[in-house]
Amino acid sequence: MKKNIIVTFLSCILLVPGMLNPLFAQEAKQPSIYQATTAKINDLVHTRLDLRFDYKKRYVYGKEWVTLKPHFYPTDTLRLDAKGMDIQNIAMVKNGINMPLHFSYDSLSLNIKLDKVYNQGEKYTIYLDYTAKPEQLKNVREDQHGIYFVNPDSSEKDKPVQIWSQGEPEGSSAWFPTIDHPNQKTTAEIVMTVPSRYVTLSNGRLSAQKNNGNGTRTDSWKMELPHAPYLFMVAVGDFRIHKDSWHGKEVSYYLEPKSAPFVKEIFGDTPEAIEFFSKVTGIDFPWNKYSEIAVRDYVSGAMENTTATMFGEQGKNKREFVDSYYNTGIEHELFHQWFGDYVTAESWSNLTLNESFADFGEIIWLEHKYGKDAADEHLHNGLQGYLNNPENAKKPLVNFYYKRVNEVFNGVTYQKGGRVLNMLRNYLKDAAFYKGLNIYLKTNAFKSADAQQLRLAMEEASGLDLNWFFTEWYYGAGHPVININYKWNDTTKIETVYLQQNQEGQTFTLPMAIDIYTNGKKERHQVWMRSRADTLTFKTPAKPDQVNVDADKVLVTKKTDNKTLDEFVFQYFTAPLYLDRFEAIEAASKNQDDKGAQKVLIAALNDKFSGLRKKTIDIMVANKEDIRKINRQLRNAAVPVLVTLAQNDKNTLVRASAIRALVPLKDPAYLQLFKDALNSESYEVAGSALFGIAAIDTAAAMKLAKGVENDNEGMLTQAIISIYSSNGTAAQWPFVYNKYKTVGLQDRIHLTQKFAAMIGRIDNSRYAQDGIEQLKVNGIKYKNSGAGPFMIRFLNVIKEQRTNLNDTASAKAADDAIKQINEAK
């Protein structure tokens, strides 16, 4: 599962000065407790569901036949998870007859007294008649309702009517009773009766369809291979189905009608990715079909339901795909079909066996599809995402201590874990590593596993002891914090490298490559760092031009590399990898008065990899706030290159960054460049251009913004609202207000600051109160994820601004909104 966007929401909201991320602060205050793997008293065998949906009440009417057997010990009781349901009947099914059973129910779980003691291997079938009421669940986050009704009464114009489910981690038991734990696996049949105009999707194959003659249709989906309950899914709605294939297996895509013309842009890489992952694992795609569906108002990033992955809303016009490069969401979820679905983590404590592998799948897909620079950029960005939250260093990959299950879905399980796997691949080398994956998958197929089983598979493949690796990286917390120093002795011709680990906690064992460049030649040394402090010596014919520690750039570490600037300059032009060049660019950007640094920065503006061209622009400018403040000689050399990039770079994100770098110059000479760029198909380029026009000619920008009100997304939307926020009147408010209400959460985050600023100054009290209401809604809706304090901060500023405008009604509305956010549960 891709992490919930609310995590991104909070990190982006940090753009508000002076605010801390309350999500992690709240988690840190919660006392952790040991989470034992759930005992298996009964095993699920087969689950059959017969579902009908009440769109008006937003209920699910379910009939269920669940077959089980005692795991080992005899038992005469059964416990099922069932959240917030009405239970009409529970019975034992024997010879086609339902025999009522006694049970108790506390709104979270059913405790059922069986008709006798059942022994190991003795199957029995329970019948349940129930009503699920997902929107009436109490004390649960919005992303834990299990099943969702989207616009069920058609009250929202231009929004589809849909139903879809979200099971991970424990949401399936909000729409059908089950043993809702990842160490259970069951075959399944899901039967849905729905309005005839809609299509359905579920796990496995569509085995039957029956028109009922009353405007409804009944679809039956069969899942003949066992999988975990959290991977069950249903979706109902008006979707266009596009069918593809891989080796004779159906590959299908479900999209809203407006997105359907862009099916290739959205899902087109899927068959190639299935082929790639089948080859690297040595296990052909293990299921009978694979579907991908995009739904509205999705509460997660994406979800790897077995054979039927679910994504959030996708693009609806061609321009939305122009700025999309190296998107790995499809591949993340697809790799889960092997790691998570085929073999499932036995407990949420072992979630690394699902999510770290999916993250690793992104890395190897990028390397395969787009080359090593793209993969290494992704590696580095993910590592920084992990390192940037200090709380991550306190949590091991296999984490048995937490209070709420959602706490294990974090930067350790995802980013760190993916990079730990990549580090293990580098140590074992590809042949042994992928053989180990193959052994792990074959040994645990259709079962659950823990991290020790991965270790045993890797040891069987490689013949090496890996206890040290798993002890440090899987069961230990943190990462090495390494300081690197160098010393050359011209008399003895010895280069000494001093390595020091400065982190709290454990000392890491680090195998690594060190490349030494001398007289135009490179010599590689394989070394081990086994202590807190290690001293390495190398005999060389002359003083090295550079010593490149961790030459493969795979260590999961925070590193301070005390090279000279000249050595970094040499590194940029000589060492081959993305991170070699990135480190040199960073060093050069901090020393912009140096001729060598200027040489690196100008060369990097034309780096072969677009990601480094963009980063060079962003880093070079960011270190001096804007381009006007960088070294004059560097600026004089860089500006012509930036102009060329702004006009001609093939990558639209590079073009957009180059344009934004030119904006602070406010040079009328670039006005035509900006106006030409406003016509770009790229929203990033067009939005950056509109910012540029506004910096030179506000009146022209206001007029041009009006002209693109009907076709804007992302950066272009931000530019319009930024211009209107600073210069607009009540005439521009309807656009700003409606856009803020209707954009996705991620875009709403970026727009909140400007939206709040316009509320504070607009010359219409009614409009101000409408805006205040929207901030209040966001503050309450996402309060459990920490959004409340951020919205309150904006509302306090607005309250003061409206008071200064003698608008007492709006000031009171802001004050009331603050109180309601504080009081909301």
Side-chain angles (χ1 to χ4, degrees), residues 246-387:
W246 177 82
H247 290 201
K249 292 185 177 183
E250 177 187 321
V251 178
S252 53
Y253 316 122
Y254 290 63
L255 290 165
E256 289 181 31
K258 289 183 179 179
S259 295
F262 310 105
V263 62
K264 287 296 183 183
E265 288 86 349
I266 298 168
F267 294 133
D269 284 342
T270 302
E272 181 186 348
I274 294 175
E275 177 73 12
F276 172 67
F277 289 142
S278 295
K279 285 183 176 179
V280 298
T281 60
I283 305 287
D284 279 352
F285 181 75
W287 311 103
N288 61 355
K289 76 103 168 35
Y290 187 57
S291 299
E292 294 167 313
I293 186 170
V295 300
R296 286 290 185 100
D297 296 349
Y298 195 41
V299 294
S300 182
M303 181 62 206
E304 66 276 9
N305 311 298
T306 315
T307 78
T309 289
M310 190 173 291
F311 297 91
E313 185 178 0
Q314 301 296 311
K316 295 179 176 61
N317 71 67
K318 185 177 180 181
R319 294 184 70 181
E320 292 184 65
F321 304 99
V322 173
D323 299 317
S324 180
Y325 298 92
Y326 315 136
N327 189 334
T328 57
I330 301 299
E331 289 70 35
H332 178 105
E333 305 307 328
L334 176 59
F335 210 39
H336 269 308
Q337 298 296 314
W338 286 264
F339 297 94
D341 298 6
Y342 186 58
V343 179
T344 307
E346 70 150 11
S347 65
W348 298 119
S349 297
N350 279 274
L351 184 63
T352 178
L353 295 177
N354 296 3
E355 294 302 346
S356 299
F357 269 110
D359 194 280
F360 175 73
E362 299 177 34
I363 296 163
I364 60 175
W365 168 255
L366 288 171
E367 190 175 302
H368 161 77
K369 181 72 173 177
Y370 301 107
K372 190 159 177 55
D373 278 348
D376 287 353
E377 179 181 48
H378 193 68
L379 273 165
H380 178 66
N381 289 344
L383 178 61
Q384 297 311 304
Y386 158 75
L387 292 173

Side-chain angles (χ1 to χ4, degrees), residues 318-606:
K318 185 177 180 181
R319 294 184 70 181
E320 292 184 65
F321 304 99
V322 173
D323 299 317
S324 180
Y325 298 92
Y326 315 136
N327 189 334
T328 57
I330 301 299
E331 289 70 35
H332 178 105
E333 305 307 328
L334 176 59
F335 210 39
H336 269 308
Q337 298 296 314
W338 286 264
F339 297 94
D341 298 6
Y342 186 58
V343 179
T344 307
E346 70 150 11
S347 65
W348 298 119
S349 297
N350 279 274
L351 184 63
T352 178
L353 295 177
N354 296 3
E355 294 302 346
S356 299
F357 269 110
D359 194 280
F360 175 73
E362 299 177 34
I363 296 163
I364 60 175
W365 168 255
L366 288 171
E367 190 175 302
H368 161 77
K369 181 72 173 177
Y370 301 107
K372 190 159 177 55
D373 278 348
D376 287 353
E377 179 181 48
H378 193 68
L379 273 165
H380 178 66
N381 289 344
L383 178 61
Q384 297 311 304
Y386 158 75
L387 292 173
N388 286 342
N389 179 9
E391 290 296 314
N392 285 335
K394 302 174 184 178
K395 304 169 186 175
L397 264 180
V398 179
N399 185 5
F400 291 101
Y401 289 89
Y402 56 87
K403 183 173 182 181
R404 300 187 304 266
V405 66
N406 60 292
E407 293 173 26
V408 299
F409 292 82
N410 55 39
V412 179
T413 307
Y414 286 76
Q415 289 100 324
K416 179 185 179 182
R419 281 135 198 86
V420 167
L421 284 167
N422 188 62
M423 189 166 55
L424 182 60
R425 175 177 70 138
N426 181 265
Y427 171 60
L428 296 178
K429 307 309 177 191
D430 280 5
F433 178 82
Y434 287 118
K435 182 180 179 183
L437 293 193
N438 180 265
I439 293 170
Y440 168 77
L441 290 169
K442 285 182 175 178
T443 303
N444 302 290
F446 305 112
K447 295 186 290 187
S448 57
D450 72 10
Q452 291 295 349
Q453 286 158 299
L454 176 63
R455 175 184 64 82
L456 291 171
M458 291 296 178
E459 288 184 342
E460 181 180 343
S462 66
L464 301 176
D465 170 63
L466 293 173
N467 274 294
W468 65 272
F469 187 91
F470 278 76
T471 297
E472 293 177 12
W473 290 105
Y474 278 80
Y475 297 99
H479 53 271
V481 177
I482 300 178
N483 193 61
I484 308 170
N485 286 289
Y486 308 88
K487 183 178 180 181
W488 167 250
N489 188 317
D490 196 50
T491 302
T492 61
K493 306 298 182 187
I494 290 178
E495 176 76 10
T496 303
V497 180
Y498 301 96
L499 303 177
Q500 176 74 46
Q501 294 188 35
N502 294 319
Q503 71 278 0
E504 295 181 2
Q506 65 172 319
T507 299
F508 288 85
T509 304
L510 302 173
M512 69 182 84
I514 295 181
D515 287 347
I516 299 180
Y517 293 79
T518 310
N519 296 333
K521 294 182 179 180
K522 180 180 78 173
E523 184 176 353
R524 170 155 292 196
H525 301 266
Q526 297 291 344
V527 304
W528 287 72
M529 184 181 188
R530 301 182 188 273
S531 306
R532 279 272 165 176
D534 271 356
T535 301
L536 308 174
T537 58
F538 304 94
K539 185 82 171 178
T540 61
K543 185 180 188 305
D545 297 300
Q546 185 211 7
V547 178
N548 196 356
V549 175
D550 182 25
D552 289 326
K553 297 295 181 279
V554 295
L555 292 183
V556 179
T557 180
K558 185 174 182 180
K559 180 178 68 173
T560 301
D561 196 343
N562 295 296
K563 288 186 176 79
T564 66
L565 182 58
D566 286 345
E567 288 168 333
F568 275 118
V569 171
F570 181 90
Q571 179 172 305
Y572 178 84
F573 292 103
T574 309
L577 300 181
Y578 166 90
L579 201 53
D580 293 320
R581 284 140 48 218
F582 178 81
E583 289 174 351
I585 292 166
E586 273 202 317
S589 70
K590 297 172 184 176
N591 295 275
Q592 295 182 7
D593 295 335
D594 182 88
K595 298 294 184 184
Q598 293 175 15
K599 183 180 177 183
V600 167
L601 292 171
I602 297 303
L605 288 174
N606 289 300

Side-chain angles (χ1 to χ4, degrees), residues 81-142:
D81 300 293
K83 299 183 179 74
M85 298 179 183
D86 290 340
I87 307 297
Q88 282 82 37
N89 186 19
I90 299 179
M92 179 69 68
V93 180
K94 284 197 171 181
N95 300 318
I97 299 174
N98 291 345
M99 302 171 57
L101 296 174
H102 294 289
F103 66 91
S104 62
Y105 181 47
D106 63 2
S107 82
L108 293 176
S109 64
L110 287 162
N111 287 284
I112 303 168
K113 180 70 173 177
L114 303 179
D115 63 322
K116 67 167 194 169
V117 174
Y118 286 84
N119 296 306
Q120 183 185 17
E122 189 177 2
K123 295 180 183 178
Y124 60 92
T125 298
I126 299 292
Y127 167 77
L128 303 100
D129 187 352
Y130 67 93
T131 301
K133 303 176 178 180
E135 297 198 11
Q136 296 181 22
L137 292 174
K138 297 179 180 179
N139 300 319
V140 299
R141 290 157 51 119
E142 186 184 11

Side-chain angles (χ1 to χ4, degrees), residues 32-76:
S32 296
I33 57 177
Y34 177 73
Q35 301 288 341
T37 299
T38 303
K40 297 175 73 173
I41 307 301
N42 289 281
D43 290 339
L44 295 171
V45 177
H46 182 73
T47 303
R48 184 178 188 273
L49 302 175
D50 187 336
L51 306 176
R52 287 169 169 76
F53 305 100
D54 188 326
Y55 285 80
K56 184 177 180 180
K57 294 182 178 178
R58 306 186 186 199
Y59 288 176
V60 180
Y61 301 121
K63 298 181 186 301
E64 178 175 0
W65 295 261
V66 56
T67 300
L68 307 101
K69 61 182 181 181
H71 180 76
F72 185 83
Y73 298 105
T75 185
D76 62 356

Side-chain angles (χ1 to χ4, degrees), residues 152-173:
D153 56 3
S154 301
S155 60
E156 296 183 63
K157 185 179 178 183
D158 298 325
K159 187 173 188 177
V161 175
Q162 295 177 356
I163 298 171
W164 46 262
S165 64
Q166 167 61 31
E168 190 175 37
E170 297 171 342
S172 288
S173 52

Side-chain angles (χ1 to χ4, degrees), residues 681-702:
E681 286 290 295
S682 160
Y683 287 130
E684 282 283 325
V685 171
S688 301
L690 189 56
F691 276 118
I693 295 167
I696 298 168
D697 187 339
T698 300
M702 286 286 291

